Amino acid sequence: MPQYLLAVHMVDGQPTPSEDEMQQMYKQVDAFNAELQSDGSWVFAGGLEPATTATVVRTEGGKVTTTDGPFAETKEHLGGFWIIEAADLDAALAMAERGSRACGGPVEVRPFQQLPEA
Amino acid sequence: MPVTPVEIEALFRAEYGRSVAALTRFLGDIDAAEEAVQDAFVVALGQWPSARLPPNPGGWMTTARRRAIDRIRRDSKRRERQREAAALDDPDPPAEEVGPVKDDRLRLIFTCCHPALDQPAQVALMLRLLGGLQTAEIARAFLVPEATMAQRLVRAKRKIKVARIPYRVPSEAELPGRLAGVLATIYLIFTEGHTATSGDGLIRHNLCDESIRLARLLTELMPDEPECLGLLALLLLTHSRRVTRVAADGSLVLLPDQDRSRWDRPLIVEGQDLVRRCLRRNVAGAYQIQAAINAVHSAAPTAGDTDWSQIVALYDQLSALAPTPVVALNRAVALAEVDGAATGLAALDEIDLADYYPLHAARADLLRRLGRLDEAAVRLCPNPTERHFLESRRSVVANARASHSE
């Protein structure tokens, strides 16, 4: 079955949620994850630590360089993601809507490239 | 009598949507469906001029299917593809699906207008796949280079395929939202044709004609949806005034100044009949109300006979459904006709619409009627014909001021 990435993007400078709001969000996301697992759509998911904890490895020109911080100097950073199986985009979008309500942020839906047939 | 290439081409365009829609369901791919249909057209051009039109012109679909099968066999050596081809080469094709959706064009319409596609892509797909227009024609109508429009179509079809936008009519629950998107896209095509935002010439007729064709098709496919009827009525009634909307010198002519004897009567009759049908159904909707407002205008033999109270009442209904600044503006203008310029101006002052030129034009007009000439102001707008009109109004105000100060 086709797979989609449901990516949650965080925007820098947004007000930090309160502890209560965070707990509420975790509960909602847990509930959503449980639904995905029980109806067989779940492949993998996880929340990411903030972009400030990232490290970039480059191997251009035969040299290895290691840099502190995220790859993109942008205001938006990947906060977490779900990988799900869905028959078509409408099914994936329906899951993305539930995921977006659960985590309180926009969710980008991207199809995975199909593996070449053997 | 032998068939001419022009007749074949007209037939081809009329049948394009139906054929592409059915072949897409069959082949599972829009590009493959288009190739097959175009291929069949080439075959038809070769055969038909020397023969009569077949009794069922859509029967060249069989040719299209056969050539699609041949292409699949030719292009690919993969085992799965050959299995696919074998499945397609069924002398008894599967029976048509029974159920509410018998026409594949409805599936195609909802696919073209899927919310995952941006509106320019939706417009391009509708005109190409359902309208049967050439890419070059669509590009000309929207004043973009052909390569740009071609790329837009390629990207949109690729997205449908790669993201797997399903080929289906939305479920009951999804239908209202999805239908609103379809209606908005058809209306956008009409608006673009009716009021060009770039280039000279106020109206691009081919887009108006195409959008009316699409609206008609939609009412055939969804006869129980009142907003579909409402949209068609709105387009017909608006289009009925096309000849009188622009003067010989290309300048804009307002509704009260239009020569009503040159309005297109058959379109008005059809539009009003649709509005009556909607009223009987009594399920309110924005397009139906806008159509009704136009019907009231169309019913007045002269501008002075216009039933403005009826129009205000309709705008009240429309404001409840679609409380936008533009609706508030139009309501204020109608209110001025019923209760006077001062009341209209007070209603205008409550609207928050910074750069919308008709608001400034309306305000200027009401101020002029109240004799407050110094306060009248005009803003530029993108359409040269409408800009010219506003500038001529400004000179009327300036002249009036000049004569007052003498």
Side-chain angles (χ1 to χ4, degrees):
Chain A
M1 189 168 295
Q3 295 182 343
Y4 294 83
L5 174 72
L6 272 46
V8 182
H9 292 272
M10 319 293 294
V11 181
D12 289 350
Q14 298 228 295
T16 322
S18 69
E19 188 55 41
D20 278 348
E21 284 167 335
M22 291 298 294
Q23 288 306 320
Q24 178 62 21
M25 192 205 66
Y26 288 138
K27 271 177 55 184
Q28 285 164 189
V29 171
D30 282 346
F32 175 57
N33 290 345
E35 285 166 15
L36 289 177
Q37 283 163 352
S38 76
D39 54 40
S41 316
W42 170 282
V43 178
F44 185 68
L48 296 169
E49 293 287 352
T52 49
T53 65
T55 318
V56 178
V57 175
R58 284 184 177 79
T59 58
E60 283 131 26
K63 283 171 33 170
V64 180
T65 53
T66 307
T67 326
D68 186 6
F71 175 76
E73 292 291 328
T74 58
K75 302 195 322 289
E76 300 90 15
H77 298 287
L78 191 60
F81 58 87
W82 291 273
I83 300 177
I84 51 102
E85 284 192 341
D88 56 46
L89 184 64
D90 282 356
L93 290 174
M95 284 181 235
E97 186 186 327
R98 287 153 57 204
S100 175
R101 285 187 208 284
C103 72
V107 171
E108 178 186 291
V109 178
R110 289 266 291 269
F112 275 88
Q113 291 184 13
Q114 301 278 73
L115 295 171
E117 283 143 40
Chain B
M1 197 188 307
V3 192
T4 64
V6 169
E7 284 172 299
I8 296 174
E9 208 172 302
L11 193 69
F12 170 79
R13 260 203 52 187
E15 290 293 311
Y16 195 73
R18 200 194 306 262
S19 308
V20 168
L23 277 172
T24 298
R25 178 167 55 84
F26 205 60
L27 299 171
D29 183 274
I30 293 176
D31 275 324
E34 282 207 282
E35 273 174 19
V37 171
Q38 282 155 17
D39 219 11
F41 176 53
V42 168
V43 168
L45 266 183
Q47 288 174 348
W48 286 358
S50 59
R52 290 209 168 77
L53 269 178
N56 172 19
W60 53 266
M61 271 272 288
T62 313
T63 311
R65 228 178 82 215
R66 191 149 300 135
R67 293 182 82 81
I69 292 165
D70 289 345
R71 174 177 286 113
I72 289 171
R73 286 208 179 106
R74 225 181 23 243
D75 288 353
S76 171
K77 295 184 177 60
R78 291 195 187 133
R79 206 165 292 165
E80 195 191 312
R81 288 299 202 162
Q82 295 198 320
R83 264 191 275 123
E84 238 177 56
L88 289 172
D89 194 13
D90 181 355
D92 296 317
E96 280 299 299
E97 265 180 44
V98 186
V101 185
K102 289 196 197 109
D103 200 314
D104 284 309
R105 285 177 295 180
L106 206 51
R107 292 188 174 93
L108 190 57
I109 287 170
F110 279 105
T111 300
C112 290
C113 296
H114 195 283
L117 298 165
D118 70 23
Q119 201 156 47
Q122 294 182 19
V123 165
L125 286 172
M126 283 286 268
L127 289 172
R128 171 124 190 90
L129 299 180
L130 285 131
L133 266 64
Q134 305 283 349
T135 304
E137 290 178 276
I138 307 172
R140 264 200 307 278
F142 284 89
L143 302 169
V144 299
E146 188 178 338
T148 305
M149 189 57 71
Q151 189 50 33
R152 188 175 296 172
L153 285 163
V154 162
R155 193 202 154 257
K157 284 190 276 184
R158 182 166 160 73
K159 175 142 189 201
I160 292 171
K161 183 177 180 147
V162 168
R164 292 182 165 254
I165 290 178
Y167 194 56
R168 63 183 183 90
V169 173
S171 65
E172 284 288 323
E174 303 163 303
L175 200 59
R178 295 288 305 275
L179 181 60
V182 172
L183 296 172
T185 298
I186 296 175
Y187 187 56
L188 183 77
I189 296 171
F190 181 84
T191 312
E192 187 62 32
H194 186 67
T195 318
T197 56
S198 38
D200 289 315
L202 187 57
I203 298 169
R204 290 204 289 272
H205 288 302
N206 53 345
L207 288 180
C208 291
D209 291 336
E210 280 311 313
S211 63
I212 289 174
R213 265 190 71 223
L214 290 168
R216 274 195 205 290
L217 175 62
L218 198 59
T219 59
E220 278 171 41
L221 298 173
M222 302 189 82
D224 295 325
E225 284 290 343
E227 278 291 84
C228 295
L229 302 180
L231 177 67
L232 179 58
L234 177 59
L235 300 190
L236 293 172
L237 290 166
T238 309
H239 201 51
S240 71
R241 301 193 280 268
R242 68 195 176 288
V243 165
T244 62
R245 200 165 169 258
V246 183
D249 64 357
S251 58
L252 176 64
V253 180
L254 274 190
L255 192 57
D257 304 319
Q258 290 173 11
D259 177 2
R260 299 191 175 207
S261 69
R262 293 170 70 219
W263 283 354
D264 188 325
R265 282 284 125 201
L267 287 187
I268 291 175
V269 166
E270 196 186 344
Q272 288 173 332
D273 180 66
L274 285 163
V275 168
R276 270 190 293 273
R277 279 169 64 185
C278 290
L279 287 173
R280 279 200 295 272
R281 223 169 277 203
N282 202 19
V283 175
Y287 289 111
Q288 294 170 80
I289 298 173
Q290 288 175 83
I293 290 166
N294 272 274
V296 172
H297 281 296
S298 300
T302 70
D305 293 314
T306 307
D307 185 349
W308 286 105
S309 308
Q310 169 81 293
I311 290 177
V312 170
L314 286 165
Y315 272 116
D316 287 340
Q317 278 186 52
L318 189 57
S319 302
L321 276 181
T324 67
V326 173
V327 170
L329 164 59
N330 291 338
R331 183 183 168 278
V333 168
L335 197 59
E337 297 299 324
V338 176
D339 288 341
T343 311
L345 200 55
L348 276 185
D349 285 340
E350 288 172 16
I351 303 169
D352 184 20
L353 253 189
D355 275 321
Y356 191 54
Y357 71 88
L359 175 63
H360 300 292
R363 184 175 281 128
D365 197 57
L366 291 179
L367 287 166
R368 185 179 56 79
R369 276 150 65 170
L370 290 170
R372 287 157 62 179
L373 304 174
D374 286 339
E375 295 167 69
V378 169
R379 297 259 193 284
L380 285 178
C381 68
N383 181 296
T385 307
E386 288 184 308
R387 187 163 60 230
H388 170 78
F389 166 75
L390 289 172
E391 279 163 0
S392 72
R393 293 296 264 210
R394 177 162 53 184
S395 61
V396 164
V397 173
N399 288 342
R401 185 187 304 143
S403 63
H404 273 254
S405 65
E406 242 135 63

